[in-house]
Amino acid sequence: MRVLVIGSGGREHALCRSLKLDPQVSELHCAPGNAGIAEIATLHDIVPTDPARVAELAERLGADLVVVGPEAPLVAGVADAVRAKGVPCFGPSGQAAMIEGSKAFAKDVMNAAGVPTARSRTCSTPEEAERALEEFGAPYVVKDDGLAAGKGVVVTGDLGAALAHARACERVVIEEFLDGPEVSLFALCDGSTAVALQPAQDFKRAYDGDEGPNTGGMGAYTPLPWAPKELSEQVMREVVHPTVAELAGRGLPYNGVLYVGLALTSKGPKVIEFNARFGDPETQVVLDRLETPLAGLLMACAKGELADQPPLSYREGSAVAVVIAAENYPGDPVKGDAITGLEPTEHAYVLHAGTSVENGRIVSSGGRVLAVVGTGPDQESARNHAYELVDRIELRGSHHRTDIAR
């Protein structure tokens, strides 16, 4: 199988790593990729949000499968353009990807499907936002309606900060705060059938103790020993299957991964958000534990043949990912600093997110630069292995959380 992965982040490196380990994959390509992906795939320097260019590349390579990683290319219609060339593609259509591209659209789908979620208001003016914030009270939850690379959400007890975020966005969704621990669940979908991957938990705040601003994610781990055993089945029954059915009923069959961000509230699991792609950095740990070969699984989704697949299998033990971020992240991150100490250890390895090569050196080129994945027979050993490798890596001004999976 000749596979083309679209994207350049840690999620795409994790996807490429799993695909490279799949004996079915004979050729692996990535566009545009990063310094780490370059070690295992052939890179192509194209703009990933250009549907025509991506489709042309897939056709030129003779790709058997295209896997679209990030949300922006999906919303731009890259999957539609690839499928129009007759190439199987893992990723929802541009319209179906609005489940992430518009928080208001996602809420409309959830409400129509009877999915448990927070009460909300969609606001287009500061006056509407002020009334909604008053209605729901603190802590205030304000979400940019459009794509914001995982950083469009403000959760704060400060009314002024909540209003400022609302004013900075064209349209926002304001909703009640959901209490309880958060869980990420990925569901693989082929338009009608859906299968859950192992749940994970990520850490959104920039600093230890869940302090500081929201980020795209500073670490993750799986499995979740504390989570209810029936959680996946309940979420599939109450959330995923009704959502997939609602989208299909609207003429938007959902093909790809549906990311379900959940709060395990005192009244049961409720959806915080949907994403139209694998979450980052949860993908790094979930794919590490997935034993079922990935290429055949994604191809089954692309071809509408997921129901024919055997049950998924997982490796024993635990995986923990720790993100190393550039100086000033999540603000305006410093780029161009050299990175050393990237060699894997027996029980840990590095996935690149924001890296490139300059004059033969690997340098930082994004906010979240690396994810270090540690593995072990239990969560504590996996965590220790991850941090042992984190301590060997040098990147001037970088920061990471020290309490991931604690």
Side-chain angles (χ1 to χ4, degrees), residues 23-363:
Q24 271 195 288
V25 176
S26 54
E27 259 184 57
L28 185 59
H29 298 264
C30 186
N34 61 41
I37 296 173
E39 296 174 7
I40 55 174
T42 302
L43 301 193
H44 302 270
D45 187 17
I46 65 168
V47 177
T49 50
D50 184 335
R53 286 292 306 281
V54 173
E56 183 272 329
L57 176 63
E59 194 174 39
R60 179 159 52 83
L61 293 173
D64 299 300
L65 174 67
V66 174
V67 179
V68 185
E71 61 276 19
L74 289 167
V75 171
V78 163
D80 305 85
V82 170
R83 279 193 276 266
K85 294 282 190 183
V87 180
C89 185
F90 179 84
S93 67
Q95 283 187 290
M98 291 308 288
I99 201 86
E100 177 172 3
S102 167
K103 300 288 189 293
F105 174 76
K107 281 291 186 183
D108 183 63
V109 170
M110 282 188 248
N111 291 332
V115 168
T117 186
R119 294 181 301 121
S120 66
R121 298 279 181 271
T122 301
C123 307
S124 300
T125 68
E127 293 74 28
E128 288 175 349
E130 202 165 346
R131 284 196 295 273
L133 290 167
E134 190 177 316
E135 177 185 352
F136 293 127
Y140 304 106
V141 181
V142 185
K143 299 179 177 181
D144 189 340
D145 181 47
L147 291 180
K151 291 174 280 187
V153 179
V154 165
V155 181
T156 178
D158 183 337
L159 179 59
L163 278 169
H165 184 59
R167 288 194 191 99
C169 307
E170 278 189 36
R171 189 162 78 147
V172 292
V173 172
I174 291 172
E175 58 187 43
E176 65 176 334
F177 177 77
L178 296 177
D179 65 322
E182 294 185 16
V183 171
S184 302
L185 185 101
F186 304 145
L188 300 178
C189 309
D190 71 355
S192 54
T193 302
V195 175
L197 293 177
Q198 188 168 284
Q201 185 173 53
D202 77 332
F203 295 74
K204 288 289 189 204
R205 299 283 186 169
Y207 308 122
D208 284 8
D210 287 329
E211 296 291 329
N214 259 350
T215 71
M218 294 299 291
Y221 69 98
T222 192
L224 310 180
W226 51 267
K229 282 190 169 58
E230 69 286 352
L231 177 64
S232 292
E233 290 79 3
Q234 183 181 1
V235 174
M236 293 301 286
R237 183 177 65 250
E238 296 179 2
V239 176
V240 175
H241 292 312
T243 300
V244 170
E246 174 64 23
L247 288 168
R250 297 183 181 204
L252 303 173
Y254 194 90
N255 170 313
V257 64
L258 182 65
Y259 166 109
V260 185
L262 297 157
L264 304 189
T265 75
S266 52
K267 297 176 181 176
K270 292 191 177 186
V271 176
I272 300 170
E273 65 175 352
F274 282 141
N275 289 334
R277 39 75 192 183
F278 284 107
D280 183 343
E282 302 98 317
T283 304
Q284 286 85 315
V285 291
V286 172
L287 292 187
D288 180 273
R289 295 293 87 193
L290 180 66
E291 197 166 41
T292 302
L294 186 62
L297 207 49
L298 302 187
M299 181 66 95
C301 290
K303 289 188 166 182
E305 298 170 355
L306 197 52
D308 302 331
Q309 295 293 301
L312 303 184
S313 59
Y314 291 90
R315 296 179 181 86
E316 296 277 325
S318 183
V320 173
V322 179
V323 168
I324 297 177
E327 184 179 3
N328 291 342
Y329 178 80
D332 184 16
V334 176
K335 300 174 185 178
D337 284 306
I339 311 165
T340 58
L342 297 172
E343 296 76 20
T345 61
E346 186 181 355
H347 300 292
Y349 57 90
V350 177
L351 293 171
H352 293 233
T355 64
S356 58
V357 177
E358 283 183 12
N359 302 319
R361 301 182 312 163
I362 295 176
V363 300

